[in-house]
Amino acid sequence: MSLQSIGAQQSSAFRAGFIALVATLIAIAVFSPALLGLVGRWMGQEEYAHGFLIPVVAIWLLWSRRDALRASIGRPLWTGPIIVLIAAAMHVIGTLSVMPNFSQAGFVLALVGLALGIGGYSLLRPTLLPILFLLFAIPVPRFIDSLMSLRLQLISSKLGALFIGFFQIPVYLDGNIIDLGNYKIQVVDACSGLRYIYPLLSVSFLAAYMFQAPLWQRAMVFLSSIPITIAMNSIRIGLVGVTVDYWGTQAADGLLHSFEGWVIFLACACILMLEIHFLARISGRTFSEVFYLPKVTAKPSQEQPNQSAGQLKLATSLLLLCAVGVVVFFISGRPEIFPGRSRFVAFPNHIGQWQGQTSSLEPEVERDLVGLDDYILSDYTRSDGTMVNLYVAFYASQRKNEQLHSPNDCIPGSGWQITKFERTSFMDSGAELPLNRAVIEKQSIKQLVYYWFDERGRKIANEYLARWYLHADAVVMNRTDGALVRLVTQIHGDEPEHNADERLQAFMRDAIPSLSEYLPGETTSQTLRSSINRKTTPPEG
């Protein structure tokens, strides 16, 4: 190859690199509202603090492939602008709805489109893995995050209690509370293990990439990070209990705060490396022979780049990005609609034959419900002594803060066991009121629970359907207000369950007409009439 052709190739690679840098900066500017929200999650939640390192690692991966990148610039494809258009649509939908994750994923997809628009499939091959690695910096949706945290709290509590019991220490488990008699360990969100799982998943992905082994072994390394983290977090919780029994509560408090964070993370990472070492040994190789950063070789395109056609495809991609940036600038400033409603402070204490006694949520519970705008928690008693507990949580906006939690997820965390669950409905003069019916038990106490979601004039029982309408209404109606309605009554002794059903239904007949003006109606407050009859026959006790 002549010096002239080498110089031309280097000049072309430099020009392509400069164009890629400019295109990336334009994409960052266009997606900046979503990316700033992403940085806010990194700073506000310890589970995602590793997000600051993900772009650094992605840039390092690109730099390690720089020779392959220079040699892989091929013919730009129209597939690039098409993918950029899809990413732009994701950004608009994510901005209008309550899904910033949609916009953030759109940014990653836009980078894929830009790679295709600059150098075609031959350039995408060495850039795809570093680009996709950025997905580990994107938090999961908040409702999934909350659900996973609750489930992991329960798993870690059970395993922690088993670890304590292994040392012949008396222990009682009540939901996510480990009771040692003189000391209680409450496994809250911070102890769920999510702060270790998310960063370890990114590390295990890199480890699986660097592990030169069959695909099934790489998949094992990547997926094993989840059980490793859960086990180590449970051991941490269990060690606190053992410390209480041997050295007292003061020593346990010190251990709880010191034996966490980077200590747990590094322990999990070491176990991951030991796993790779073990898999290498059973294959007859050493750790150093199988664990290293692979060298990526270029696979140049057989077709020579067409400069004018390439400029057109890249220009189309950049114009699409600039256009969506202008659109997002205008739509992001639209004020959210908050229809008027009555506040629960004015909700009557006397409803029909029921007399209410209001109370408040515990301070730590109310503090955890970020975004809760208004609520009522009240015990309503009838003249015969029977009682119904009413709880309604109202959120004026579910865009940036917490969203409605399903009792189906929260009940087990309080130590209750759901023994029966069904999705049923009532009829009111031809109008259907869907709801969830659950029988829950704790020690010798048995309760019946009804709950449903009130979403902008809709009564919804299915949690996932409620999420769908939340996203759709955010786009179409520019509203995200919503409420959870929950009714609870105790099932006394050998009382048949259908008696408790009748009690809740009687309260609903009296309460719903008054309750409707406090809930997020479609346009104005809607009132459900009386004579609510259940479609299905109440189960026998």
Side-chain angles (χ1 to χ4, degrees), residues 149-209:
S149 179
L150 288 168
R151 298 294 169 86
L152 287 175
Q153 286 176 48
L154 295 175
I155 294 173
S156 298
S157 301
K158 291 178 182 179
L159 294 178
L162 287 174
F163 183 86
I164 296 171
F166 178 78
F167 290 88
Q168 305 299 314
I169 299 173
V171 60
Y172 172 72
L173 181 64
D174 184 11
N176 64 339
I177 299 175
I178 301 175
D179 192 347
L180 299 168
N182 62 334
Y183 190 84
K184 291 184 179 180
I185 306 171
Q186 185 174 8
V187 184
V188 294
D189 286 347
C191 301
S192 66
L194 284 181
R195 65 173 58 178
Y196 315 124
I197 283 182
Y198 292 145
L200 196 67
L201 275 173
S202 59
V203 170
S204 64
F205 179 84
L206 273 180
Y209 168 66

Side-chain angles (χ1 to χ4, degrees), residues 111-132:
L111 295 181
V112 173
L114 290 174
L116 288 169
I118 294 172
Y121 287 122
S122 59
L123 181 61
L124 181 63
R125 290 190 191 99
T127 58
L128 184 59
L129 186 137
I131 291 174
L132 293 182

Side-chain angles (χ1 to χ4, degrees), residues 132-340:
L132 293 182
F133 187 70
L134 294 173
L135 292 173
F136 286 101
I138 301 176
V140 299
R142 288 187 182 271
F143 79 95
I144 296 178
D145 203 32
S146 299
L147 177 60
M148 290 176 59
S149 179
L150 288 168
R151 298 294 169 86
L152 287 175
Q153 286 176 48
L154 295 175
I155 294 173
S156 298
S157 301
K158 291 178 182 179
L159 294 178
L162 287 174
F163 183 86
I164 296 171
F166 178 78
F167 290 88
Q168 305 299 314
I169 299 173
V171 60
Y172 172 72
L173 181 64
D174 184 11
N176 64 339
I177 299 175
I178 301 175
D179 192 347
L180 299 168
N182 62 334
Y183 190 84
K184 291 184 179 180
I185 306 171
Q186 185 174 8
V187 184
V188 294
D189 286 347
C191 301
S192 66
L194 284 181
R195 65 173 58 178
Y196 315 124
I197 283 182
Y198 292 145
L200 196 67
L201 275 173
S202 59
V203 170
S204 64
F205 179 84
L206 273 180
Y209 168 66
M210 297 173 66
F211 184 28
Q212 310 308 306
L215 182 61
W216 69 269
Q217 291 188 359
R218 291 184 170 193
M220 179 183 295
V221 169
F222 175 59
L223 296 176
S224 65
S225 60
I226 298 175
I228 288 173
T229 307
I230 293 174
M232 286 300 299
N233 188 54
S234 302
I235 291 174
R236 179 181 76 92
I237 295 170
L239 283 175
V240 174
V242 175
T243 304
V244 168
D245 190 71
Y246 283 95
W247 292 287
T249 59
Q250 187 174 0
D253 289 335
L255 178 66
L256 187 64
H257 289 93
S258 60
F259 192 56
E260 61 179 10
W262 286 104
V263 176
I264 292 292
F265 177 78
L266 290 175
C268 292
C270 290
I271 294 174
L272 202 65
M273 294 299 103
L274 288 174
E275 179 186 359
I276 294 175
H277 176 73
F278 173 76
L279 291 173
R281 294 296 295 174
I282 63 175
S283 301
R285 295 183 293 174
T286 64
F287 182 86
S288 60
E289 290 176 333
V290 299
F291 193 76
Y292 55 87
L293 186 66
K295 181 176 177 59
V296 178
T297 57
K299 294 183 179 180
S301 173
Q302 299 299 320
E303 299 178 333
Q304 293 299 318
N306 186 312
Q307 188 171 357
S308 60
Q311 290 176 350
L312 177 61
K313 292 160 188 172
L314 178 62
T316 302
S317 298
L318 296 180
L319 284 174
L320 286 171
L321 285 176
C322 292
V324 77
V326 174
V327 171
V328 168
F329 175 78
F330 284 103
I331 65 176
S332 60
R334 66 171 187 165
E336 189 172 355
I337 297 174
F338 302 101

